[in-house]
Amino acid sequence: MNIEKSGRSMMTNVVLMAMLMLSLFMNEAQAQSFSKILAQARGGNAKAMVMAGNAYLYGDGVAKDPAKAFYWYEKGAAKGLDGAQYSLGNLYYDGVGVKQDYAKAFDYYSRAAAQGLPEAINNVGMCYLTGNGTTQDFDKAFACFKTATQKGNLDAKFNLAECYYLGRGTAANITLAVEMFKELSSNGVARAQYDLAVCYQNGSGVEQNLGEAVGWYTSAYDFGIPQAGYNLAIIYLNGYENGSYAQEGTKILNDLAKAGYTPAVELLKQLGQ
């Protein structure tokens, strides 16, 4: 018997057993914690109602059950809690635990927004931007994004930057948009990293720089934005760095195609692969 190998194996088993016991302990603790939260929610505690809704929505200490999440968010919303109203709006918007209803989503977002919740203000802006649940109104969307940005919401700041870039609800200001994309990109906002890469690739609001574009596309792709990987692959296949990245470009396209990203599938067909 190889004593060293056996020792490593035993140590591995001990570690795995310890991890299993810790996991079981944490699961039990979460279940006990959830029981207390549920009891408080049943007793009329509005904050506990939101916590119960969160637990059912994400499976934290209890099996996932979107319908029960909806039930508790609705209870909390009826008590006027902004977090419950916001979460209920999300369920209506996405059709999770309830039939999708943009109008009701907009209503609950608006209730939470009226109480000053930044996330809700941003989502009211998104409804105005898309026309989902209300009449499309770029001016109102811009105003919402600006207000939520002033309250520190990064999603709203990104949406505000896009409004400046596209001239929605305000005069177009690509230079300002790029500066905002840079700030957001440095804070790890993947969508801003993608937009910043596009700006560097096309020379929009900034001096054209393929190296910067590649860097930000790479970061956005690492964060899970497929379009960033697709654009990166095209740059590589178009002779970036004298064609030294062509093989990597093909690999990215194949990875995207395996993940079901249609543009990558179609491009590989055009390339005969």
Side-chain angles (χ1 to χ4, degrees):
M1 175 186 293
N2 186 321
I3 296 178
E4 183 181 357
K5 183 176 181 181
S6 176
R8 285 201 302 268
S9 178
M10 290 175 63
M11 181 56 69
T12 300
N13 289 338
V14 169
V15 172
L16 289 175
M17 181 59 70
M19 291 175 64
L20 176 60
M21 294 300 293
L22 178 61
S23 176
L24 291 173
F25 173 77
M26 291 178 66
N27 288 339
E28 183 178 353
Q30 288 175 334
Q32 291 176 354
S33 177
F34 173 73
S35 295
K36 292 179 181 179
I37 290 170
L38 190 59
Q40 292 173 354
R42 287 171 174 165
N45 186 304
K47 290 184 178 180
M49 291 174 182
V50 176
M51 294 172 71
N54 290 342
Y56 276 121
L57 184 63
Y58 300 109
D60 186 6
V62 67
K64 286 185 178 182
D65 192 328
K68 289 183 178 179
F70 174 84
Y71 172 83
W72 284 114
Y73 286 147
E74 189 174 41
K75 288 284 188 181
K79 287 182 172 289
L81 200 64
D82 56 0
Q85 294 166 343
Y86 168 73
S87 296
L88 190 61
N90 284 338
L91 295 190
Y92 271 121
Y93 196 92
D94 295 328
V96 175
V98 67
K99 183 179 179 181
Q100 189 176 58
D101 190 324
Y102 289 139
K104 287 184 178 179
F106 178 73
D107 176 46
Y108 281 106
Y109 286 150
S110 297
R111 296 186 195 188
Q115 298 190 63
L117 190 67
E119 296 87 344
I121 296 171
N122 176 63
N123 283 14
V124 169
M126 286 302 300
C127 289
Y128 279 126
L129 185 70
T130 60
N132 288 337
T134 188
T135 303
Q136 189 176 53
D137 190 322
F138 289 159
D139 290 342
K140 289 182 179 179
F142 177 81
C144 286
F145 296 147
K146 189 171 184 179
T147 298
T149 296
Q150 291 169 345
K151 289 178 174 287
N153 187 273
L154 290 182
D155 286 332
K157 188 171 184 177
F158 170 76
N159 293 329
L160 185 65
E162 289 216 317
C163 284
Y164 280 123
Y165 189 86
L166 298 170
R168 288 178 172 172
T170 185
N173 189 333
I174 296 178
T175 300
L176 176 57
V178 169
E179 289 306 310
M180 294 175 71
F181 289 149
K182 286 180 180 179
E183 292 177 18
L184 290 162
S185 295
S186 297
N187 284 318
V189 179
R191 293 178 299 163
Q193 292 174 346
Y194 171 79
D195 281 358
L196 183 58
V198 171
C199 290
Y200 273 119
Q201 183 179 6
N202 299 327
S204 299
V206 68
E207 186 177 347
Q208 188 177 44
N209 188 322
L210 272 187
E212 287 286 345
V214 164
W216 288 115
Y217 276 140
T218 300
S219 183
Y221 182 46
D222 288 342
F223 273 114
I225 296 185
Q227 180 66 49
Y230 181 79
N231 289 6
L232 180 62
I234 291 177
I235 290 175
Y236 284 161
L237 292 171
N238 282 339
Y240 180 71
E241 292 291 333
N242 297 317
S244 58
Y245 286 85
Q247 187 173 354
E248 177 64 18
T250 301
K251 180 181 181 303
I252 292 173
L253 286 179
N254 278 298
D255 289 343
L256 288 169
K258 289 177 183 177
Y261 187 66
T262 303
V265 174
E266 295 301 320
L267 182 55
L268 284 171
K269 288 180 180 178
Q270 293 176 23
L271 295 174
Q273 299 184 32

